[in-house]
């Protein structure tokens, strides 16, 4: 009897955060002997960011499970078509269809408090006019992004945000890997950054195995790392 090697878990963070947000999840997975990496997400555009995630997956020897938080969910939807990707896990994330942008998807539901608390900035690009990026207003960050995370932690997170290029909101997904790969989804029931209805709709449409954590904020990987890791472990077991 042949056994499939344990998939490597690739954790893709979303906007306004970095890979350190996965630290508790990483510790849980490593404690169970599951190989894991958490690469940086460039946050410059859906197509280019997804191509980067795909390149990370393709250089791993053996099967890969892609895990996407928030905007990272849009990226794994596209990057998940990479040949060695065997499963997708969405954590409080956008689950897009082919030809859909996350701006369009969230626009079909009542907007979350995040939208009215975004601040715009410009940044230089090599050619043409400066581009626009967004962050969450620092005073709104704790309630919008991480209401169930200790206040001293959210103060640090608020001033260490990774901005998202505004163009990413309207860029459409070139593929929807969940149509051919199994998927799992965690819905954060008290999410103020993405309307939980957006998360539920995308997960149901993808036919994902869904877990909902009532009272969880958008930063559920920080506040509930064991529950997030448990869902990822379920995906690992199912694809091993």
């Amino acid at each position: 009897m042949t056994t499939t090697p344990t998939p490597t878990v690739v954790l893709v963070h979303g906007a306004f955060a970095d890979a350190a947000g996965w630290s508790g999840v990483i510790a849980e997975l490593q404690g169970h002997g599951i190989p894991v990496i958490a690469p940086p997400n460039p946050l410059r555009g859906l197509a280019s960011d997804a191509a980067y995630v795909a390149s990370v997956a393709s250089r791993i020897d053996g099967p890969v499970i892609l895990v996407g938080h928030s905007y990272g969910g849009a990226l794994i939807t596209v990057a998940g078509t990479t040949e060695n990707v065997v499963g997708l896990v969405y954590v409080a994330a956008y689950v897009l269809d082919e030809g859909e942008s996350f701006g369009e998807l969230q626009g079909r539901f009542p907007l979350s408090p995040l939208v009215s608390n975004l601040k715009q900035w410009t940044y230089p690009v090599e050619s043409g006019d400066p581009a626009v990026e967004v962050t969450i207003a620092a005073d709104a960050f704790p309630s919008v992004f991480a209401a169930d995370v200790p206040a001293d932690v959210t103060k640090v997170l608020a001033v260490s945000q990774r901005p998202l290029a505004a163009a990413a909101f309207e860029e459409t997904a070139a593929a929807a890997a969940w149509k051919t790969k199994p998927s799992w989804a965690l819905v954060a029931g008290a999410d103020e950054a993405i309307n939980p209805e957006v998360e539920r709709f995308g997960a149901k449409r993808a036919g994902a195995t869904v877990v909902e954590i009532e009272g969880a904020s958008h930063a559920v990987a920080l506040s509930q790392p064991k529950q997030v890791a448990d869902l990822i472990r379920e995906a690992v077991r199912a694809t091993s």
Side-chain angles (χ1 to χ4, degrees), residues 24-205:
V25 175
I26 291 168
E28 289 282 342
L29 295 174
Q30 288 178 334
H32 286 90
I34 296 170
V36 56
I37 61 169
N41 177 351
L43 302 175
R44 298 292 81 168
L46 201 159
S48 61
D49 294 344
Y52 179 76
V53 172
S55 76
V56 171
S58 64
R59 65 177 179 246
I60 293 169
D61 190 21
V64 167
I65 285 179
L66 292 180
V67 182
H69 174 245
S70 191
Y71 166 67
L75 304 186
I76 71 169
T77 295
V78 177
T81 57
T82 307
E83 194 177 344
N84 62 328
V85 173
V86 295
L88 309 166
V89 182
Y90 295 93
V91 179
Y94 294 106
V95 187
L96 299 185
D97 199 354
E98 188 175 346
E100 187 175 65
S101 70
F102 74 86
E104 179 192 343
L105 174 59
Q106 72 180 10
R108 293 182 212 149
F109 299 86
L111 294 177
S112 70
L114 170 83
V115 179
S116 58
N117 284 289
L118 290 176
K119 298 189 75 170
Q120 291 197 352
W121 318 86
T122 59
Y123 65 96
V125 289
E126 282 183 24
S127 57
D129 296 327
V132 175
E133 62 185 12
V134 293
T135 57
I136 302 171
D139 59 345
F141 186 93
S143 64
V144 166
F145 197 91
D148 56 353
V149 175
D152 57 336
V153 177
T154 60
K155 282 180 185 173
V156 175
L157 297 177
V159 298
S160 58
Q161 292 179 60
R162 296 269 317 276
L164 175 67
F169 284 86
E170 303 310 323
E171 228 180 304
T172 58
W178 48 260
K179 291 180 177 176
T180 55
K181 313 268 173 104
S183 60
W184 290 259
L186 186 147
V187 174
D191 200 328
E192 296 284 308
I194 301 177
N195 183 337
E197 288 298 332
V198 174
E199 299 170 21
R200 292 183 194 110
F201 170 82
K204 184 179 179 182
R205 180 173 62 180

